[in-house]
mmCIF file of all heavy atoms in Angstrom:
data_model
loop_
_atom_site.group_PDB
_atom_site.id
_atom_site.type_symbol
_atom_site.label_atom_id
_atom_site.label_comp_id
_atom_site.label_asym_id
_atom_site.label_seq_id
_atom_site.Cartn_x
_atom_site.Cartn_y
_atom_site.Cartn_z
ATOM 1 N N ALA A 94 -6.232 -7.848 -2.923
ATOM 2 C CA ALA A 94 -7.040 -9.056 -2.792
ATOM 3 C C ALA A 94 -6.073 -10.206 -2.235
ATOM 4 O O ALA A 94 -5.046 -10.426 -2.749
ATOM 5 C CB ALA A 94 -7.630 -9.559 -4.101
ATOM 6 N N LEU A 95 -6.540 -10.842 -1.082
ATOM 7 C CA LEU A 95 -5.750 -11.905 -0.516
ATOM 8 C C LEU A 95 -6.699 -13.135 -0.289
ATOM 9 O O LEU A 95 -7.869 -12.974 -0.209
ATOM 10 C CB LEU A 95 -5.252 -11.539 0.881
ATOM 11 C CG LEU A 95 -4.309 -10.304 0.963
ATOM 12 C CD1 LEU A 95 -3.953 -10.045 2.475
ATOM 13 C CD2 LEU A 95 -3.076 -10.623 0.155
ATOM 14 N N GLU A 96 -6.068 -14.325 -0.320
ATOM 15 C CA GLU A 96 -6.790 -15.513 -0.107
ATOM 16 C C GLU A 96 -5.958 -16.543 0.616
ATOM 17 O O GLU A 96 -4.713 -16.636 0.305
ATOM 18 C CB GLU A 96 -7.263 -16.136 -1.535
ATOM 19 C CG GLU A 96 -8.004 -17.377 -1.417
ATOM 20 C CD GLU A 96 -8.411 -17.888 -2.772
ATOM 21 O OE1 GLU A 96 -7.520 -18.228 -3.580
ATOM 22 O OE2 GLU A 96 -9.624 -17.931 -3.088
ATOM 23 N N ALA A 97 -6.536 -17.247 1.582
ATOM 24 C CA ALA A 97 -5.842 -18.430 2.221
ATOM 25 C C ALA A 97 -6.587 -19.643 1.811
ATOM 26 O O ALA A 97 -7.781 -19.650 1.695
ATOM 27 C CB ALA A 97 -5.889 -18.219 3.778
ATOM 28 N N ARG A 98 -5.793 -20.705 1.490
ATOM 29 C CA ARG A 98 -6.308 -21.947 0.951
ATOM 30 C C ARG A 98 -5.832 -23.174 1.717
ATOM 31 O O ARG A 98 -4.654 -23.192 2.153
ATOM 32 C CB ARG A 98 -5.955 -22.132 -0.511
ATOM 33 C CG ARG A 98 -6.550 -21.041 -1.365
ATOM 34 C CD ARG A 98 -6.059 -21.194 -2.875
ATOM 35 N NE ARG A 98 -7.094 -20.673 -3.673
ATOM 36 C CZ ARG A 98 -7.667 -21.334 -4.692
ATOM 37 N NH1 ARG A 98 -7.161 -22.491 -5.063
ATOM 38 N NH2 ARG A 98 -8.544 -20.774 -5.433
ATOM 39 N N GLN A 99 -6.700 -24.182 1.856
ATOM 40 C CA GLN A 99 -6.337 -25.504 2.410
ATOM 41 C C GLN A 99 -6.833 -26.612 1.463
ATOM 42 O O GLN A 99 -7.945 -26.552 1.014
ATOM 43 C CB GLN A 99 -6.962 -25.667 3.752
ATOM 44 C CG GLN A 99 -6.270 -24.912 4.828
ATOM 45 C CD GLN A 99 -6.826 -25.282 6.190
ATOM 46 O OE1 GLN A 99 -8.005 -25.029 6.420
ATOM 47 N NE2 GLN A 99 -5.997 -26.006 6.979
ATOM 48 N N TYR A 100 -5.912 -27.505 1.207
ATOM 49 C CA TYR A 100 -6.265 -28.743 0.442
ATOM 50 C C TYR A 100 -5.983 -29.930 1.377
ATOM 51 O O TYR A 100 -4.861 -30.266 1.497
ATOM 52 C CB TYR A 100 -5.420 -28.829 -0.762
ATOM 53 C CG TYR A 100 -5.311 -27.604 -1.629
ATOM 54 C CD1 TYR A 100 -4.363 -26.668 -1.417
ATOM 55 C CD2 TYR A 100 -6.172 -27.424 -2.677
ATOM 56 C CE1 TYR A 100 -4.255 -25.552 -2.179
ATOM 57 C CE2 TYR A 100 -6.143 -26.261 -3.465
ATOM 58 C CZ TYR A 100 -5.108 -25.365 -3.225
ATOM 59 O OH TYR A 100 -5.070 -24.241 -3.957
ATOM 60 N N ASN A 101 -6.990 -30.480 1.941
ATOM 61 C CA ASN A 101 -6.902 -31.687 2.838
ATOM 62 C C ASN A 101 -5.817 -31.546 3.860
ATOM 63 O O ASN A 101 -5.029 -32.447 4.162
ATOM 64 C CB ASN A 101 -6.632 -32.922 1.958
ATOM 65 C CG ASN A 101 -7.594 -33.131 0.896
ATOM 66 O OD1 ASN A 101 -8.812 -32.922 1.092
ATOM 67 N ND2 ASN A 101 -7.180 -33.670 -0.250
ATOM 68 N N ALA A 102 -5.728 -30.387 4.498
ATOM 69 C CA ALA A 102 -4.648 -30.086 5.440
ATOM 70 C C ALA A 102 -5.336 -29.808 6.806
ATOM 71 O O ALA A 102 -6.520 -29.348 6.928
ATOM 72 C CB ALA A 102 -3.834 -28.894 5.029
ATOM 73 N N THR A 103 -4.615 -30.122 7.839
ATOM 74 C CA THR A 103 -5.120 -29.858 9.222
ATOM 75 C C THR A 103 -4.644 -28.500 9.684
ATOM 76 O O THR A 103 -3.694 -27.929 9.221
ATOM 77 C CB THR A 103 -4.670 -30.960 10.193
ATOM 78 O OG1 THR A 103 -3.161 -30.904 10.239
ATOM 79 C CG2 THR A 103 -5.112 -32.331 9.841
ATOM 80 N N GLY A 104 -5.309 -27.992 10.681
ATOM 81 C CA GLY A 104 -5.012 -26.680 11.281
ATOM 82 C C GLY A 104 -5.451 -25.529 10.424
ATOM 83 O O GLY A 104 -6.498 -25.522 9.866
ATOM 84 N N PHE A 105 -4.565 -24.485 10.373
ATOM 85 C CA PHE A 105 -4.992 -23.268 9.777
ATOM 86 C C PHE A 105 -3.977 -22.938 8.594
ATOM 87 O O PHE A 105 -2.854 -23.387 8.542
ATOM 88 C CB PHE A 105 -4.786 -22.081 10.707
ATOM 89 C CG PHE A 105 -5.780 -22.153 11.797
ATOM 90 C CD1 PHE A 105 -5.600 -22.830 13.026
ATOM 91 C CD2 PHE A 105 -7.009 -21.396 11.646
ATOM 92 C CE1 PHE A 105 -6.530 -22.851 13.993
ATOM 93 C CE2 PHE A 105 -7.906 -21.433 12.703
ATOM 94 C CZ PHE A 105 -7.711 -22.133 13.903
ATOM 95 N N ALA A 106 -4.475 -22.091 7.648
ATOM 96 C CA ALA A 106 -3.651 -21.420 6.673
ATOM 97 C C ALA A 106 -3.672 -19.978 6.972
ATOM 98 O O ALA A 106 -4.851 -19.368 7.026
ATOM 99 C CB ALA A 106 -4.073 -21.731 5.271
ATOM 100 N N VAL A 107 -2.608 -19.362 7.227
ATOM 101 C CA VAL A 107 -2.616 -17.948 7.727
ATOM 102 C C VAL A 107 -1.564 -17.163 6.846
ATOM 103 O O VAL A 107 -0.471 -17.581 6.673
ATOM 104 C CB VAL A 107 -2.200 -17.808 9.202
ATOM 105 C CG1 VAL A 107 -2.140 -16.302 9.660
ATOM 106 C CG2 VAL A 107 -3.160 -18.544 10.148
ATOM 107 N N GLY A 108 -2.054 -15.992 6.410
ATOM 108 C CA GLY A 108 -1.158 -15.113 5.638
ATOM 109 C C GLY A 108 -1.048 -13.774 6.228
ATOM 110 O O GLY A 108 -1.954 -13.249 6.875
#
Side-chain angles (χ1 to χ4, degrees):
L95 299 178
E96 183 180 61
R98 297 176 149 232
Q99 284 187 291
Y100 310 90
N101 303 325
T103 60
F105 292 88
V107 178

